[in-house]
Amino acid sequence: MAEKSIRFGVLGCAEIARKVSRAIILSPNSTLYAVGSRSIDKASRFASANGFPPSVKIYGSYEAVLDDPDVDAVYVPLPTSLHVRWAILAAEKKKHVLLEKPVALNVAQFDLIVEACESNGVQFMDGTMWMHHPRTAKMREFLSDKQRFGQLKSMHTCFTFGADPDFLKNDIRVKPDLDALGALGDAGWYCIRSILWAADYELPKTVTALREPVLNEVGVILSCGSSLHWEDGKVATFQCSFLSNLTMDITAIGTKGALHLHDFVIPFQEKEASFSAASESGFTELVTGWVPIPSEHTVMTDLPQEVLMVREFASLVRSIKENGSKPEQKWPILSRKTQLVLDAVKASIDRGFEAVEVQY
Amino acid sequence: MAEKSIRFGVLGCAEIARKVSRAIILSPNSTLYAVGSRSIDKASRFASANGFPPSVKIYGSYEAVLDDPDVDAVYVPLPTSLHVRWAILAAEKKKHVLLEKPVALNVAQFDLIVEACESNGVQFMDGTMWMHHPRTAKMREFLSDKQRFGQLKSMHTCFTFGADPDFLKNDIRVKPDLDALGALGDAGWYCIRSILWAADYELPKTVTALREPVLNEVGVILSCGSSLHWEDGKVATFQCSFLSNLTMDITAIGTKGALHLHDFVIPFQEKEASFSAASESGFTELVTGWVPIPSEHTVMTDLPQEVLMVREFASLVRSIKENGSKPEQKWPILSRKTQLVLDAVKASIDRGFEAVEVQY
């Protein structure tokens, strides 16, 4: 199978690149082929610190990775402000693009990336790993079951974590020139994606940010939230933050059922993950208990979710390379919808918490 | 002990009165002494259908219960619009008042009730049962622990249930002349109380209702939500509804920990109840799992929470009767704060989702 492997180049030595490089190594249809940093020393140190095979090529620039004709695809974990430049350049060099989230600083930038990918016939996918966990597919089955879940009525999600003082001072995610969207772009991205996922990717009609987001002294969001409203009356709220203990909740409530989980972005454990499903919940005769009690469902996975993400991406790339298939449109569409809602939350904050319309 | 028992009269035959009558029977310091309805037949049928002891006096009016000199206290589960009349009359007849929630249609009405209770030296308590479950005290310990939980930063609660077509047409909670606050007064009461409880009863500075609440054709709220904002940046959201599957969630997130439970109003089971507590949650080295994983805590209770509520109330009444103690101020203060926030949510809805200030 080795010769059919998709060869990945990694642009930069971000912390998250350690995990995704391991995923590329573990995925049965991909090979970690090259890593590039702004200095060859940094790239070398990164490769040896993470135990990369000696076959991995080490480059002293991102361009060098893109110029290597044997690189099929790139994983781009650079700061968000650099996405538009490097993702477009990668596409122009006919490299398929696996791009970290948030995909761009705004949807106009993202559309340039999608345009470049489309016109060069390369696959685009963002790095939202939990989408690829088999638990997600099981939960989707539950949400789509009109008998067990009914129609989605309301949702709440949160993704918060307690950043340490060094992060709050130095991380790229608190720098206006690197990741200007801060906690909204980082943690909020997942909240918004999970809401869209539960709503079967139907966009909300309006988005209204919660008042009093917390910003740092240079205006980057450290904590915020929003409500989302659909034409049919569905409502969702989310809260994202760098200033609280780690939480990753989805609560999705339908007419006939409810879904709960507390580790949607990173499952508590690598090999198994659970969710709680309630259906037609009611009470005992004197309302002193529930009948039935919600049930816990555990889903095993041989491969971690980030490996499943790489495998899915590499499989799409292989179809394009070997069969001349067209790139799968689903992934850039999901990224774009997520970014659209993210932009609307930001606009609502900027406009004093007005309701902002969302249009595809 | 029998002669030291507090003798309760029950006003009306509401569904919830079945559960609280049983609680009065089960509580070691109280006696179910009388039940009154607008017709003596209805009261009789209610008593026999629920297996009340033959000693329970049956009255054909609420006044008759209040006029019985042997009744120490009344439980009032009447429609909210009748609270001000019957709670005040009860206080004037020197009966201690256990009143169902919402305590009033607005805080001005509630203040009349409190004034009547104060000037007649009778105890007031509302019927928020979960406050009395030993789990609630255990969770309070966790939230107050600066090491394990830190400072409260954000919260979300929901209480939703799927009302059947008969409820949505005929229940007092959808009638503008009986329970004009609808789902906000019924389910929302619990959400607001739980938020205040987690915030150690510090009132929010402002309340902003979520857009697009669902109303029935006569303007009663069937589903709504709100965000609450504190001076120090704390934020909470809640959603309450008659139109979704049963959920009862509390998520409270602090700087160092997080609390989760999904059955805060009515525990899944009568004799034991659980919550999840997370402290200083972090990730494995490559961010492929959590360390530590949140822990589950189970709290047993010999007596159901509604019995513990009656026992606490009866114990306060006994102190007043036997020792000349003053009524415990904590309970009417908590009721008033809850009603204040409830009023602010209603005002925000009425004023087009403006931020409404809350002042005690």
Side-chain angles (χ1 to χ4, degrees):
Chain A
M1 297 293 278
E3 51 202 327
K4 292 198 168 181
S5 261
I6 299 303
R7 287 166 304 225
F8 278 80
V10 173
L11 300 194
C13 306
E15 184 63 23
I16 185 73
R18 298 173 58 215
K19 181 174 176 174
V20 176
S21 297
R22 169 176 168 266
I24 293 166
I25 291 169
L26 291 177
S27 174
N29 61 353
S30 68
T31 300
L32 182 61
Y33 186 81
V35 57
S37 180
R38 281 166 297 173
S39 92
I40 201 154
D41 271 8
K42 200 176 165 199
S44 286
R45 281 200 307 277
F46 182 74
S48 65
N50 290 290
F52 290 175
S55 59
V56 174
K57 293 200 177 176
I58 309 294
Y59 286 117
S61 72
Y62 307 144
E63 288 91 341
V65 177
L66 300 183
D67 284 333
D68 186 325
D70 291 331
V71 167
D72 297 308
V74 287
Y75 168 61
V76 184
L78 299 172
T80 310
S81 61
L82 303 179
H83 283 189
V84 69
R85 175 170 170 203
W86 291 103
I88 289 174
L89 201 56
E92 287 170 355
K93 302 273 187 179
K94 310 293 181 196
K95 311 302 186 197
H96 303 270
V97 178
L98 179 60
L99 182 63
E100 261 311 322
K101 30 54 52 190
V103 290
L105 291 173
N106 54 57
V107 81
Q109 279 195 358
F110 181 62
D111 284 345
L112 299 174
I113 293 172
V114 173
E115 212 175 279
C117 289
E118 277 182 4
S119 63
N120 289 284
V122 299
Q123 181 66 47
F124 176 89
M125 184 186 278
D126 71 46
T128 311
M129 298 168 182
W130 69 269
M131 303 284 297
H132 303 272
H133 196 290
R135 174 175 64 175
T136 305
K138 273 281 166 209
M139 296 192 297
R140 172 80 269 157
E141 273 175 32
F142 176 60
L143 295 182
S144 301
D145 188 326
K146 294 294 170 223
Q147 291 311 308
R148 288 191 298 156
F149 185 76
Q151 185 195 344
L152 180 67
K153 298 294 273 186
S154 74
M155 257 198 96
H156 180 75
T157 77
C158 60
F159 181 8
T160 65
F161 61 87
D164 60 29
D166 179 59
F167 179 109
L168 291 175
K169 200 170 166 208
N170 300 316
D171 196 88
I172 59 168
R173 285 167 282 186
V174 298
K175 302 288 182 189
D177 54 334
L178 297 173
D179 266 300
L181 297 166
L184 175 61
D186 187 39
W189 172 275
Y190 292 99
C191 297
I192 293 167
R193 171 63 63 85
S194 73
I195 291 168
L196 290 173
W197 167 79
D200 217 2
Y201 304 112
E202 186 197 342
L203 282 170
K205 192 178 151 214
T206 64
V207 162
T208 308
L210 301 185
R211 284 161 194 275
E212 299 173 37
V214 180
L215 310 180
N216 69 9
E217 67 284 357
V218 287
V220 174
I221 296 167
L222 301 181
S223 174
C224 72
S226 186
S227 63
L228 292 75
H229 302 271
W230 281 259
E231 198 85 53
D232 67 357
K234 266 196 300 287
V235 58
T237 50
F238 76 83
Q239 297 182 15
C240 59
S241 177
F242 290 157
L243 304 175
S244 303
N245 191 64
L246 182 58
T247 62
M248 299 174 168
D249 294 358
I250 292 178
T251 301
I253 312 175
T255 47
K256 292 191 173 178
L259 170 79
H260 286 100
L261 67 161
H262 299 124
D263 60 348
F264 82 97
V265 180
I266 308 286
F268 292 136
Q269 299 179 66
E270 197 169 14
K271 303 253 160 147
E272 61 173 73
S274 300
F275 64 92
S276 158
S279 278
E280 307 211 42
S281 308
F283 294 121
T284 56
E285 207 257 330
L286 273 181
V287 193
T288 56
W290 291 42
V291 183
I293 290 173
S295 56
E296 199 72 12
H297 300 262
T298 300
V299 180
M300 310 299 294
T301 181
D302 287 341
L303 296 174
Q305 60 182 7
E306 61 275 13
V307 179
L308 296 171
M309 173 181 77
V310 168
R311 189 177 71 176
E312 171 69 8
F313 178 72
S315 153
L316 294 170
V317 171
R318 194 194 281 186
S319 285
I320 296 166
K321 271 189 72 172
E322 294 180 5
N323 310 331
S325 303
K326 294 222 172 216
E328 170 59 73
Q329 289 306 298
K330 172 189 170 186
W331 296 109
I333 290 172
L334 299 192
S335 306
R336 187 171 196 271
K337 287 184 171 183
T338 310
Q339 185 80 43
L340 267 174
V341 173
L342 205 154
D343 286 8
V345 174
K346 183 67 167 58
S348 178
I349 292 172
D350 292 344
R351 295 182 208 159
F353 316 105
E354 257 181 34
V356 169
E357 291 215 6
V358 181
Q359 282 180 318
Y360 194 76
Chain B
M1 296 291 278
E3 50 204 328
K4 289 194 169 184
S5 261
I6 299 303
R7 287 167 303 226
F8 278 79
V10 173
L11 300 194
C13 305
E15 184 64 22
I16 184 73
R18 298 172 59 214
K19 180 174 177 174
V20 176
S21 296
R22 168 176 169 264
I24 293 167
I25 291 168
L26 291 177
S27 174
N29 61 353
S30 69
T31 300
L32 182 60
Y33 186 80
V35 57
S37 180
R38 281 168 298 174
S39 94
I40 200 153
D41 271 8
K42 199 175 166 199
S44 286
R45 281 201 306 277
F46 183 74
S48 65
N50 290 289
F52 290 175
S55 60
V56 175
K57 293 200 177 175
I58 309 294
Y59 287 118
S61 72
Y62 307 145
E63 288 91 342
V65 177
L66 300 183
D67 284 334
D68 186 325
D70 290 330
V71 167
D72 297 309
V74 288
Y75 168 61
V76 184
L78 300 171
T80 310
S81 61
L82 303 178
H83 284 188
V84 70
R85 174 171 170 203
W86 291 104
I88 289 174
L89 200 57
E92 287 170 354
K93 303 271 188 179
K94 311 294 181 194
K95 309 304 185 196
H96 304 271
V97 178
L98 180 60
L99 183 63
E100 262 311 320
K101 31 54 53 188
V103 290
L105 291 173
N106 54 58
V107 81
Q109 278 196 356
F110 181 62
D111 284 345
L112 299 174
I113 294 173
V114 173
E115 212 175 279
C117 289
E118 278 182 2
S119 62
N120 289 286
V122 299
Q123 181 65 47
F124 177 89
M125 184 186 277
D126 71 46
T128 312
M129 299 168 182
W130 69 269
M131 302 285 296
H132 303 272
H133 196 291
R135 173 175 66 175
T136 305
K138 273 280 166 210
M139 296 192 297
R140 172 79 270 156
E141 273 175 33
F142 175 61
L143 295 183
S144 301
D145 188 325
K146 294 294 169 222
Q147 291 311 307
R148 288 191 299 156
F149 185 76
Q151 186 195 345
L152 180 67
K153 299 293 274 185
S154 74
M155 257 197 96
H156 180 75
T157 77
C158 60
F159 181 8
T160 65
F161 61 88
D164 60 30
D166 180 59
F167 179 110
L168 291 175
K169 200 170 166 208
N170 300 316
D171 196 88
I172 60 168
R173 286 167 281 186
V174 298
K175 301 290 181 188
D177 54 334
L178 297 173
D179 266 299
L181 298 166
L184 175 62
D186 187 39
W189 173 274
Y190 292 100
C191 297
I192 292 168
R193 171 63 61 85
S194 73
I195 291 169
L196 291 173
W197 167 80
D200 217 3
Y201 303 112
E202 186 197 343
L203 283 170
K205 192 178 152 216
T206 64
V207 163
T208 309
L210 302 185
R211 283 162 193 274
E212 297 173 38
V214 180
L215 311 180
N216 68 9
E217 67 285 355
V218 286
V220 174
I221 296 167
L222 301 181
S223 174
C224 72
S226 186
S227 62
L228 293 74
H229 303 270
W230 282 258
E231 198 86 54
D232 68 357
K234 267 196 300 289
V235 58
T237 50
F238 77 84
Q239 296 182 15
C240 59
S241 178
F242 290 157
L243 305 175
S244 304
N245 191 64
L246 182 58
T247 63
M248 299 175 167
D249 294 358
I250 292 179
T251 301
I253 312 175
T255 47
K256 292 191 172 177
L259 170 79
H260 286 100
L261 67 161
H262 299 125
D263 60 348
F264 83 97
V265 180
I266 308 286
F268 292 136
Q269 299 178 65
E270 197 169 14
K271 303 251 161 145
E272 61 173 74
S274 300
F275 63 93
S276 157
S279 278
E280 308 211 41
S281 308
F283 294 122
T284 56
E285 206 256 331
L286 273 181
V287 194
T288 55
W290 291 41
V291 183
I293 289 173
S295 56
E296 200 71 12
H297 300 262
T298 300
V299 180
M300 310 297 294
T301 182
D302 287 340
L303 295 174
Q305 61 182 6
E306 62 275 14
V307 179
L308 296 171
M309 174 181 77
V310 169
R311 188 176 71 177
E312 170 69 7
F313 178 71
S315 153
L316 293 170
V317 171
R318 193 194 281 185
S319 285
I320 296 166
K321 270 188 74 172
E322 294 179 6
N323 310 332
S325 304
K326 296 223 170 213
E328 171 59 73
Q329 289 306 298
K330 171 187 169 187
W331 296 109
I333 289 172
L334 299 192
S335 307
R336 187 172 196 270
K337 287 185 170 181
T338 310
Q339 186 80 42
L340 267 174
V341 174
L342 205 154
D343 286 7
V345 174
K346 184 67 167 59
S348 178
I349 292 173
D350 292 344
R351 294 182 209 158
F353 316 105
E354 258 182 32
V356 170
E357 292 215 6
V358 180
Q359 281 180 319
Y360 193 76

